[in-house]
Amino acid sequence: MLPDGTLTPSSLGLKDLRWLIYWDKDKCALCGRCTAVCPVKAIELGVHRQRVVFSPLLDAPAKEAPSGLYRVYYGIRQRTEPAHACTGCGMCAQVCPNGAILPYRNDEEDKLRFHFNQGGQPRRRGGRRNDPAPGTLDRIKFVRISMLTDPALDALRHEFELRTLLGRILPPEEELRLYREEGWTPPVREIYPLMIGGMSLGALSPTMWEGLMMGVAYLNEELGLPVRISTGEGGCPPRLLRSRFIKYIILQIASGYFGWDEIVRAIPEMKEDPCAIEIKYGQGAKPGDGGLLLWHKVNELIAAIRGVPPRVSLPSPPTHQTLYSIEESVAKMIQSLAMAWGFRVPVYPKISGTSTALAVLNNLTRNPYAAALCIDGEDGATGAAYEVSLNHMGHPIASNIRDCYLNLVKLGKQNEIPLIAAGGIGKHGNLAANAAALFMLGASAVQIGRYILQAAAGCLGSESDRCNVCNVGICPKGITSQDPRLYRRLDPDRVAERVVDVFLSFDMELKKIVAALGRSTSLPIGMSDALGIDDYHAAERLQIKYVI
């Protein structure tokens, strides 16, 4: 709206917004906490003018006509500009001492979607696909219950060995031949099957990253759970590179190579080898795009770790330069990185979910340097992406993993190359059930990202387009912000405690599932006869039981 009151083409009425704000005048103390904490400045202090109808017929026996009186009072006003539209994060309600304010979703008239492209720029945001409907993984059930056929186990008292292997597992004769001819054998790590996926220091705040690292260290050193975490594509702090805790970390290298100058310099000084090297070629949330860290989040600390100037946006190319085929990738990237650590560290690629995943896998099977294949499905989350990529591109993870596993079965290599599944696991809170279903479809391990942010730090984002301002550094919880005024709201010790809670509860739920299947000594990888689904076409596609 222009200063003279003229409506512009992008003007919106209050009822056209996606999120509306309820405000109770009688409860409000005008303390200003809600306006101070709102990340997008969607509310402001305003002056309200209200008409009060006065009828003399009711108040006095007079013949005067009803008249209108006006009163003026101060209160909260919701802004209607698209740039300041409420995101529904609810921080205003959390800080209000009197419960006087609350955002609620407007499902009747949402015109905001037509006005996101201000300045000719399509919408960019963080988060996941805006699809709140349950996915395929949430509908899969475990139908093979061991009772009289073979004994079920006690999840509370029985000993379980829920571990998986990360690395190329060659047949004994092939491994012996490789050792005689080349003097080495592929490195293999025993890890926990639930991993924390790549979220860089930069995409996450320093306190969030510190909390994750402390939680992983505690799980390994105090509880004996070999949990591993990926750094994302933002490099790694120099002190951590030279510490003994590097063995719990998977170093990710992406097409921007951010932070890898420091990593290469630190190799001779490393006290331990990293768990693995993950070469990121694609991401489920934005297939075909490289990473993106907007300038809002590139402060002096992040710039120093990544080796770039501060306050500039950092887009990664969509592909690694000079690598334009699978063969080049294996020959140049995987083998050269394996050589950098003396062939002691597993190296594997990460790709986005795609119908061409089988072509990548078939090439990896022919090269002993490839340690695994990580596939990130369409429900993967991100810190920044165009909304069209988030909502309309990618491949579901369940069928992608199933196709790859069945292809390995045909080649007789299902025990050689581990498949790592990522993207939307635990999207609706069913983390253990989703992971177990993927194990039985053929995955050897699963990665989570958004789930750990929601469970360990209280991320407010949802698949109903709530919050999702991860990309611009104004996260109200301080999870994805580089502003010290925001990330100081987050206690890294509390984050570490919650990380431990998440993994311990997952471990118990996974034991409850595999105990009912009569398994205890290994993960039920590929045990698809235990799965069923109430969708006939999904059952046919995944080659599992149709149950109704």
Side-chain angles (χ1 to χ4, degrees):
M1 182 179 293
L2 299 177
D4 61 359
T6 306
L7 291 176
T8 63
S10 61
S11 297
L12 291 172
L14 194 61
K15 294 294 184 181
D16 294 331
L17 300 177
R18 180 166 296 172
W19 292 91
L20 302 179
I21 297 175
Y22 165 79
W23 173 68
D24 190 330
K25 176 178 68 68
D26 297 326
K27 292 182 179 180
C28 182
L30 296 179
C31 64
R33 295 183 183 181
C34 55
T35 56
V37 80
C38 180
V40 293
K41 308 302 179 186
I43 50 179
E44 60 185 0
L45 185 65
V47 180
H48 298 264
R49 184 170 182 261
Q50 183 180 31
R51 184 186 182 195
V52 180
V53 177
F54 174 78
S55 175
L57 296 177
L58 299 177
D59 298 285
K63 296 183 180 180
E64 300 177 8
S67 60
L69 299 178
Y70 292 89
R71 62 170 181 157
V72 176
Y73 62 93
Y74 296 104
I76 300 301
R77 176 186 292 122
Q78 182 175 0
R79 301 176 68 175
T80 59
E81 305 97 315
H84 297 282
C86 175
T87 62
C89 69
M91 286 299 293
C92 54
Q94 293 188 34
V95 301
C96 181
N98 301 323
I101 192 168
L102 181 70
Y104 65 95
R105 188 173 176 85
N106 177 22
D107 293 321
E108 297 180 2
E109 295 291 337
D110 176 12
K111 298 295 192 300
L112 188 62
R113 69 188 72 178
F114 301 110
H115 297 271
F116 275 133
N117 54 357
Q118 299 295 308
Q121 284 291 327
R123 187 189 183 197
R124 289 183 293 193
R125 63 174 178 85
R128 274 200 295 245
R129 285 197 312 148
N130 287 328
D131 183 11
T136 303
L137 291 176
D138 294 301
R139 299 170 62 186
I140 292 178
K141 301 181 182 300
F142 309 101
V143 298
R144 185 190 182 278
I145 308 301
S146 298
M147 300 187 71
L148 294 178
T149 52
D150 47 320
L153 305 174
D154 190 330
L156 296 176
R157 290 178 289 186
H158 202 86
E159 292 290 333
F160 290 84
E161 190 63 31
L162 301 179
R163 303 289 187 270
T164 192
L165 298 177
L166 175 59
R168 189 62 171 268
I169 308 159
L170 296 175
E173 60 276 7
E174 178 66 19
E175 189 169 345
L176 182 60
R177 182 195 64 79
L178 194 62
Y179 180 76
R180 287 174 175 172
E181 294 180 1
E182 301 188 22
W184 76 286
T185 57
V188 178
R189 305 281 195 261
E190 185 180 65
I191 65 171
Y192 196 68
L194 180 66
M195 309 158 64
I196 299 180
M199 295 177 287
S200 68
L201 178 56
L204 299 184
S205 67
T207 48
M208 184 67 209
W209 219 68
E210 181 184 1
L212 291 177
M213 293 299 168
M214 288 195 299
V216 169
Y218 186 89
L219 286 164
N220 279 274
E221 306 218 340
E222 297 296 329
L223 302 181
L225 283 182
V227 176
R228 299 296 181 261
I229 180 172
S230 173
T231 61
E233 62 171 303
C236 190
R239 186 177 177 184
L240 184 56
L241 287 171
R242 293 164 174 82
S243 74
R244 61 186 175 87
F245 301 106
I246 191 67
K247 60 187 175 183
Y248 308 137
I249 292 175
I250 297 171
L251 296 175
Q252 186 186 94
I253 181 170
S255 54
Y257 306 113
F258 296 120
W260 269 80
D261 286 345
E262 180 60 37
I263 292 175
V264 171
R265 283 195 296 266
I267 290 177
E269 304 172 22
M270 287 185 177
K271 296 178 181 178
E272 301 273 356
D273 288 330
C275 172
I277 306 298
E278 181 178 78
I279 307 173
K280 176 191 166 188
Y281 292 96
Q283 187 176 344
K286 41 185 173 182
D289 283 343
L292 173 62
L293 190 68
L294 295 177
W295 66 268
H296 313 76
K297 301 169 74 171
V298 186
N299 59 16
E300 286 73 15
L301 171 64
I302 304 305
I305 292 175
R306 297 191 176 212
V308 298
R311 301 301 173 191
V312 294
S313 294
L314 302 178
S316 298
T319 184
H320 290 260
Q321 301 302 307
T322 75
L323 301 180
Y324 299 102
S325 69
I326 308 170
E327 293 79 10
E328 282 186 316
S329 173
V330 173
K332 295 180 180 179
M333 200 77 175
I334 296 179
Q335 290 180 216
S336 61
L337 283 171
M339 188 183 303
W341 273 271
F343 301 98
R344 301 185 307 271
V345 178
V347 182
Y348 66 90
K350 174 185 176 181
I351 63 173
S352 57
T354 168
S355 58
T356 60
L358 287 180
V360 177
L361 180 63
N362 285 332
N363 193 279
L364 296 181
T365 59
R366 298 194 292 268
N367 193 297
Y369 295 98
L373 175 62
C374 179
I375 304 176
D376 194 8
E378 65 176 354
D379 280 321
T382 182
Y386 285 101
E387 189 167 62
V388 67
S389 298
L390 281 164
N391 288 351
H392 301 287
M393 297 181 68
H395 195 290
I397 187 60
S399 56
N400 230 178
I401 283 291
R402 188 61 175 157
D403 290 344
C404 289
Y405 181 76
L406 293 177
N407 186 67
L408 289 175
V409 171
K410 291 179 182 178
L411 298 174
K413 296 180 179 291
Q414 68 270 27
N415 296 321
E416 283 193 25
I417 299 184
L419 298 174
I420 303 170
I425 300 164
K427 180 178 178 179
H428 296 283
N430 307 314
L431 178 60
N434 290 173
L438 284 166
F439 295 150
M440 296 178 202
L441 290 173
S444 296
V446 296
Q447 287 185 354
I448 56 172
R450 178 71 176 274
Y451 183 94
I452 203 72
L453 301 187
Q454 292 174 320
C459 170
L460 300 169
S462 75
E463 285 66 51
S464 299
D465 205 7
R466 182 186 182 200
C467 198
N468 291 337
V469 292
C470 324
N471 56 323
V472 288
I474 56 174
C475 172
K477 285 285 191 174
I479 300 170
T480 61
S481 174
Q482 302 303 325
D483 187 341
R485 295 171 298 178
L486 296 176
Y487 68 66
R488 284 172 185 164
R489 298 173 182 174
L490 202 60
D491 182 359
D493 293 327
R494 181 59 181 157
V495 170
E497 292 176 12
R498 288 293 300 139
V499 169
V500 174
D501 290 343
V502 167
F503 276 86
L504 291 181
S505 61
F506 171 85
D507 191 66
M508 176 51 65
E509 287 191 319
L510 186 60
K511 287 177 181 177
K512 293 294 291 184
I513 293 172
V514 299
L517 304 178
R519 301 291 292 267
S520 65
T521 57
S522 63
L523 284 178
I525 299 173
M527 190 177 171
S528 57
D529 62 320
L531 300 179
I533 193 171
D534 60 357
D535 185 311
Y536 177 79
H537 297 290
E540 288 290 305
R541 178 69 179 82
L542 299 176
Q543 298 186 29
I544 60 177
K545 290 183 175 65
Y546 169 56
V547 293
I548 189 172

